[in-house]
Amino acid sequence: MKIRKITLIIAVLSIFGQTLFGQATTVESGVRDFSDASVSIKYYNRSIYYPGMNDDNPINVHITIKNNGTETLRFKLADDRAFSLDFYAYTVKNSKLEQTDSVIEKRTTNRTVYFREIALEGGEEYSFIENVKDYIKVTDPSVYYLELSFYPELYKSKYIKLDSNRLTLEIRPSPSAASSVYVPVKDGSSEILKPQEIGPDKVVEQTIIARQKSLWDQYFLYMDVESLLKRNSALSKKYVTVSAEERARMIESFKADLMQSRIENDIIAVPEKFEIEKTTYSPTEGSVVVIEWFKYPNFSEKKRYTYKVRQREGIWNIYDYTVVNLGTE
């Protein structure tokens, strides 16, 4: 949590419930100006997420409220964050996940809500961490788009809100005890294994195997997604003109499109089998040629993939590729 010269004033908001919800949502005179405030979200200790399992498998998100102006920014923050924010998760078809019963019950029951008033000077930030699963029901494996709305005057004034950036949220099928597709993590940590200093042929081999098993975290482990995005001329032109934050969103969106097989079908195609034909590389650049077979109901298709790789700080990454069709068998 980053706090510099932040004033915390303990206050009490008396009875908060259905009677407040019935009040008109018109902006009264003297309402604070939040035009210079912004809210952003990012994953905290990002892991592999599954449906349910709230306590054992939380989706922790780091939330930051920032004062982008020069005047002092003041806002309220409830001790029970359910009265300060909402998470929203949408499917690729724009269907929204439901709120948890706990959030609904809190907001529809008369209760005392404690909050703090926080003051931020220009350029200062205030951050905290919340579990998405405390706010929305995550019941099915899929790829979602995650957003947050923050209410600087609490939920009773929900017409005053700040909307965050969007994250891509992948929910994997729940692993069974004997599952062979579980992605290993570091002992005593939820952090996914980091790339290892292995050769270009092993990088390509592990990437293909990860795709065969639909292990997306491992698939992207040695993939330079930014370079793959720039293969698309339209995306590349936009990418070089936008902010760093927007670039990050473009990369996450590009990964989501890959996982949904909407783009770059060759790189995410799933071979039945493969054979590394040739590997050549210098200290910084290289290529790995692979023969891959794709099985269909009445025939098998054979293709030659050439994966281009480069080394950065001892780690080889795939940044480009070409495909040649070798006919059917």
Side-chain angles (χ1 to χ4, degrees):
M1 183 181 295
K2 181 179 180 182
I3 311 177
R4 300 196 305 273
K5 301 179 183 177
I6 298 175
T7 304
L8 303 180
I9 303 174
I10 304 299
V12 176
L13 177 65
S14 60
I15 305 301
F16 187 101
Q18 292 175 329
T19 57
L20 290 178
F21 296 160
Q23 295 176 357
T25 57
T26 56
V27 179
E28 301 175 357
S29 61
V31 170
R32 292 172 179 171
D33 180 12
F34 295 101
S35 59
D36 288 329
S38 65
V39 60
S40 61
I41 57 176
K42 63 181 179 180
Y43 291 110
Y44 178 78
N45 285 343
R46 186 168 185 172
S47 183
I48 304 168
Y49 305 121
Y50 303 105
M53 303 164 59
N54 291 23
D55 294 331
D56 295 332
N57 184 237
I59 304 174
N60 288 325
V61 168
H62 188 272
I63 303 164
T64 299
I65 298 119
K66 183 176 182 179
N67 181 2
N68 299 303
T70 56
E71 301 296 323
T72 302
L73 170 70
R74 289 182 171 83
F75 60 89
K76 298 179 177 71
L77 183 66
D79 290 351
D80 185 339
R81 304 288 197 258
F83 296 100
S84 282
L85 58 91
D86 268 317
F87 281 103
Y88 303 100
Y90 300 89
T91 67
V92 292
K93 295 183 179 180
N94 211 35
S95 298
K96 186 169 68 173
L97 296 188
E98 297 179 357
Q99 290 181 321
T100 61
D101 295 337
S102 173
V103 168
I104 295 173
E105 180 182 355
K106 289 176 181 178
R107 293 176 177 175
T108 55
T109 304
N110 289 343
R111 63 177 61 209
T112 300
V113 176
Y114 297 89
F115 68 91
R116 295 174 289 172
E117 184 169 274
I118 297 177
L120 298 180
E121 299 304 323
E124 291 185 338
E125 300 175 348
Y126 184 92
S127 300
F128 54 95
I129 297 166
E130 288 295 305
N131 178 10
V132 173
K133 290 182 178 179
D134 289 338
Y135 295 83
I136 53 179
K137 296 179 180 178
V138 183
T139 59
D140 299 309
S142 186
V143 175
Y144 301 96
Y145 298 113
L146 182 68
E147 298 175 349
L148 174 139
S149 288
F150 177 72
Y151 308 115
E153 293 292 339
L154 303 183
Y155 184 75
K156 71 181 181 68
S157 302
K158 62 180 180 179
Y159 57 90
I160 303 175
K161 65 176 183 176
L162 302 172
D163 294 323
S164 76
N165 54 301
R166 170 179 285 189
L167 300 178
T168 300
L169 172 62
E170 182 190 4
I171 302 298
R172 297 286 307 281
S174 297
S176 64
S179 175
S180 62
V181 298
Y182 182 74
V183 179
V185 296
K186 283 187 174 181
D187 292 338
S189 169
S190 60
E191 183 181 356
I192 299 172
L193 284 175
K194 294 182 179 180
Q196 303 298 309
E197 295 185 13
I198 57 178
D201 54 338
K202 287 297 182 182
V203 163
V204 171
E205 178 184 48
Q206 289 193 19
T207 300
I208 296 174
I209 292 174
R211 182 65 192 97
Q212 287 176 321
K213 295 183 178 181
S214 296
L215 301 177
W216 288 109
D217 290 281
Q218 287 191 0
Y219 175 77
F220 288 120
L221 194 60
Y222 297 101
M223 195 73 73
D224 185 343
V225 180
E226 180 183 34
S227 293
L228 292 179
L229 180 151
K230 290 180 179 179
R231 284 168 49 96
N232 183 305
S233 59
L235 291 177
S236 181
K237 288 179 181 178
K238 179 182 178 181
Y239 187 82
V240 298
T241 62
V242 298
S243 65
E245 183 177 351
E246 179 61 25
R247 288 182 181 182
R249 284 199 291 266
M250 286 184 67
I251 289 176
E252 290 300 318
S253 178
F254 186 80
K255 289 170 67 174
D257 287 340
L258 284 173
M259 289 186 284
Q260 294 295 314
S261 301
R262 291 195 290 262
I263 55 174
E264 298 286 343
N265 289 329
D266 283 326
I267 193 66
I268 50 91
V270 184
E272 179 192 24
K273 61 180 180 178
F274 67 94
E275 179 182 301
I276 295 179
E277 188 176 48
K278 182 174 64 174
T279 302
T280 57
Y281 58 96
S282 68
T284 57
E285 294 272 344
S287 64
V288 181
V289 181
V290 184
I291 304 299
E292 301 185 25
W293 288 265
F294 299 87
K295 188 173 180 59
Y296 298 95
N298 299 318
F299 65 95
S300 290
E301 192 173 28
K302 185 178 179 182
K303 297 183 179 182
R304 175 178 286 113
Y305 279 70
T306 300
Y307 296 92
K308 296 182 180 180
V309 296
R310 62 184 165 212
Q311 184 183 183
R312 291 177 178 172
E313 298 180 356
I315 304 298
W316 289 95
N317 286 281
I318 300 169
Y319 72 92
D320 199 358
Y321 68 96
T322 58
V323 184
V324 176
N325 292 322
L326 301 178
T328 59
E329 295 181 348

